[in-house]
Amino acid sequence: MNALDTTSTRPYLIRALYEWCTDNSLTPYVAVMVDDTVQVPREYVKNNEIVLNISFDATSSLKLGNDFIEFKARFAGSAREILVPISRVIAIYARENGQGMAFPAPTAAGTPSASLLGHGNALALASSGETSGVAADPKLMQLVPETDVTEQPHDANEPPEPPKSPPTKRPSLTRVK
């Protein structure tokens, strides 16, 4: 069995991060790229994307399957059935601290990034810097702090400055183009 014959790692990573969020009393959110295969309230979709709270308190009958995320949720007091294909999930993260994982945006079947890297692997390669000659998907998403933190060079004879305290703003999910 070769790498192209294996199943996608995306549903397993989504379930693992969902469990991590709930174990740490965090609120799991999923960002979804919306198209005709996604069943969500269209009035909440912006720029073909929607962010959904998939916590135990916000959902009913949540199923994190290998092919779909299914649940019932209330939107403006009205119960709605939500159906999201796993391939359309572009990120899962904790609302409180922004920690989580982003996945490559869905691409048309047959594009080099979809066929060579598979689901979920392009982000891991790009974030580790090991692209092995494969061009990274330009539509990757990553968590970045909202403030610009840069290191200033220092003289070797002077003691290094103590590390700065973390930024006061929460990290946010930003699309890198």
Side-chain angles (χ1 to χ4, degrees):
M1 178 182 270
N2 64 34
L4 295 177
D5 293 338
T6 61
T7 60
S8 171
T9 58
R10 191 178 294 211
Y12 301 95
L13 295 170
I14 290 170
R15 284 192 292 269
L17 286 165
Y18 174 84
E19 188 175 328
W20 173 81
C21 285
T22 56
D23 286 353
N24 288 285
S25 300
L26 300 171
T27 309
Y29 277 18
V30 291
V32 178
M33 184 70 67
V34 177
D35 68 358
D36 293 337
T37 64
V38 178
Q39 182 179 327
V40 294
R42 299 291 186 196
E43 60 269 24
Y44 297 98
V45 174
K46 293 183 181 169
N47 298 326
N48 293 328
E49 294 181 17
I50 189 169
V51 176
L52 300 167
N53 178 347
I54 59 169
S55 68
F56 179 77
D57 295 335
T59 63
S60 171
S61 305
L62 176 66
K63 295 178 187 169
L64 298 173
N66 285 347
D67 297 318
F68 294 97
I69 296 175
E70 301 176 62
F71 59 93
K72 296 175 188 164
R74 292 194 165 279
F75 290 85
S78 167
R80 306 287 278 275
E81 299 251 349
I82 307 300
L83 181 68
V84 176
I86 290 290
S87 63
R88 304 305 295 177
V89 175
I90 54 177
I92 179 168
Y93 61 97
R95 180 191 72 192
E96 292 79 3
N97 60 16
Q99 290 184 335
M101 176 177 270
F103 302 100
T107 58
T111 59
S113 61
S115 60
L116 289 175
L117 297 176
H119 299 287
N121 295 332
L123 179 67
L125 291 172
S127 63
S128 68
E130 299 175 18
T131 57
S132 304
V134 178
D137 187 349
K139 296 179 183 175
L140 291 179
M141 295 179 66
Q142 66 183 15
L143 292 173
V144 295
E146 291 180 2
T147 58
D148 183 27
V149 180
T150 57
E151 291 187 26
Q152 298 295 327
H154 67 278
D155 186 8
N157 295 331
E158 295 179 19
E161 293 183 24
K164 296 179 182 178
S165 62
T168 57
K169 293 184 179 180
R170 292 188 344 205
S172 62
L173 191 63
T174 305
R175 180 174 295 222
V176 178
K177 293 188 177 190

